[in-house]
């Protein structure tokens, strides 16, 4: 299944990020803990040359905890300051504030030597649509100041948010990149809900997802839907349609409806905590 999605507002957003990069000390790269490689924008390395970097694995509550730990070690081995969080939980955001200061330690020290005191660190939050940028900023700022929405690509325009005397944040719209070199990247992003579902074949997507979940977390599909999880992915989809009462006229299984249920259940963590990418495996297979 081929997935590409790069609407016009993303080109504009990228230009806005390039224009603002000179104002920035630190890039906070928000990744989805379930797919940390696929959710990394390859353009950020170029954009963020010479900037301090912090990697935040968000939606860690939806990913396998042991795999979260493995990803933290992986990114730390590449010398990135890395934390994992559930952005909806305000208690978690203290760890980011600490990590921001740690990632900018050299800069703060340099400023101090030059006699510049108390200049806030300016950070840019970047991430793909739906990764949780607005949720994180709202949690950190302690009030609803960034718009959140459940449609990929809802955050638009530019906003500076002063968190406290030490940190200012620039929110950026969610952007993808013009071409996914590896088709699995597009698939994984579609699975987590960062690609507009309207352009997707949700049945094919659900079949791919069932295959992955069964291979990574045997038994979860069976117990979620109360079905035998052996057989082909198509057979599983039919069984799920049946037990969930997704039937068309003439009692034929409504596989489109069942696919929607499977995608929603996965995205909201109802099937279980599932990491689709594991360090060492690359982007699966
Ligand atoms: P964006 O700005 O990057 O586009 O993302 P946004 O904050 O709008 O978040 C997208 C969805 O992801 C929201 O759900 C939000 O609640 C959810 N979310 C963000 N961070 C986390 C997290 O760490 N864990 C989990 N489980 N969910 C997270 P929604 O259903 O679209 O909206 P809402 O009804 O929850 O507000």
């Amino acid at each position: 299944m081929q997935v590409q999605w790069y609407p016009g507002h993303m080109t504009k957003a990228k230009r806005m990020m390039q224009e603002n990069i000179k104002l920035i000390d630190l890039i906070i790269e928000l990744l989805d803990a379930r797919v940390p490689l696929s959710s990394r924008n390859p353009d950020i390395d170029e954009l963020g040359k010479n900037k301090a970097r912090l990697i935040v694995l968000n939606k860690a509550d939806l990913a396998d905890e042991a795999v979260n730990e493995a990803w933290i070690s992986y990114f730390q081995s590449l010398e990135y300051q890395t934390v994992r969080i559930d952005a909806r939980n305000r208690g978690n955001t203290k760890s980011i504030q600490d990590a921001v200061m740690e990632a900018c330690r050299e800069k703060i020290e340099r400023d101090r030597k030059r006699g510049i005191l108390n200049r806030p660190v300016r950070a840019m939050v970047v991430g793909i649509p739906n990764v949780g940028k607005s949720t994180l900023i709202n949690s950190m700022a302690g009030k609803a100041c960034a718009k959140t929405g459940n449609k990929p690509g809802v955050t638009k325009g530019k906003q500076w948010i002063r968190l406290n005397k030490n940190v200012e944040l620039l929110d950026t719209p969610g952007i993808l990149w013009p071409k996914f070199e590896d088709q699995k990247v597009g698939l994984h992003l579609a699975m987590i809900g960062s690609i507009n579902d309207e352009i997707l074949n949700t049945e094919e997507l659900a079949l791919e997802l069932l295959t992955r979940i069964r291979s990574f977390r045997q038994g979860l599909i069976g117990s979620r839907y109360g079905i035998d999880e052996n057989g082909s992915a198509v057979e599983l989809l039919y069984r799920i349609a049946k037990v969930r009462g997704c039937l068309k006229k003439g009692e034929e299984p409504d596989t489109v409806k069942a696919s929607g249920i499977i995608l929603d259940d996965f995205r909201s963590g109802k099937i279980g905590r599932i990491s689709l990418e594991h360090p060492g495996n690359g982007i699966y297979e």
Side-chain angles (χ1 to χ4, degrees), residues 17-179:
M17 286 158 78
Q18 282 160 338
E19 282 161 11
N20 285 292
I21 194 72
K22 53 185 178 301
L23 308 172
I24 300 295
D25 305 305
L26 167 77
I27 294 188
I28 301 178
E29 210 179 335
L30 208 53
L31 304 183
D32 188 303
R34 293 165 296 176
V35 292
L37 295 182
S38 292
S39 56
R40 272 200 103 181
N41 187 333
D43 294 342
I44 298 301
D45 277 340
E46 177 61 27
L47 186 74
K49 267 195 316 234
N50 309 321
K51 301 290 171 185
R53 302 276 288 272
L54 168 63
I55 289 188
V56 176
L57 297 174
N58 191 36
K59 307 202 181 184
D61 56 300
L62 299 177
D64 190 325
E65 188 54 20
V67 183
N68 288 341
E69 295 282 349
W71 278 117
I72 291 195
S73 305
Y74 169 87
F75 286 115
Q76 284 174 342
S77 75
L78 300 176
E79 308 208 336
Y80 288 103
Q81 190 79 25
T82 312
V83 289
R84 69 166 171 296
I85 58 157
D86 167 353
R88 296 164 311 164
N89 179 346
R90 288 196 181 158
N92 271 201
T93 55
K94 167 88 173 58
S95 63
I96 300 193
Q97 304 249 15
D98 293 346
V100 165
M101 299 318 278
E102 183 58 32
C104 291
R105 204 152 41 108
E106 275 179 29
K107 182 217 157 280
I108 293 166
E109 188 56 22
R110 240 184 359 254
D111 278 359
R112 201 182 57 80
K113 283 194 181 135
R114 291 202 206 120
I116 306 170
L117 297 176
N118 304 328
R119 187 171 88 63
V121 166
R122 294 209 191 102
M124 183 190 259
V125 182
V126 300
I128 58 171
N130 238 2
V131 70
K133 294 178 297 301
S134 309
T135 308
L136 173 70
I137 292 170
N138 287 340
S139 290
M140 288 178 82
K143 59 183 188 296
C145 58
K147 269 184 289 174
T148 57
N150 57 5
K151 276 241 165 190
V154 146
T155 321
K156 298 204 178 78
K158 167 170 96 168
Q159 30 188 337
W160 278 103
I161 295 141
R162 193 178 180 114
L163 293 186
N164 53 41
K165 65 181 187 356
N166 295 325
V167 187
E168 287 176 5
L169 281 185
L170 178 63
D171 184 20
T172 63
I175 59 167
L176 296 166
W177 43 103
K179 187 169 185 326

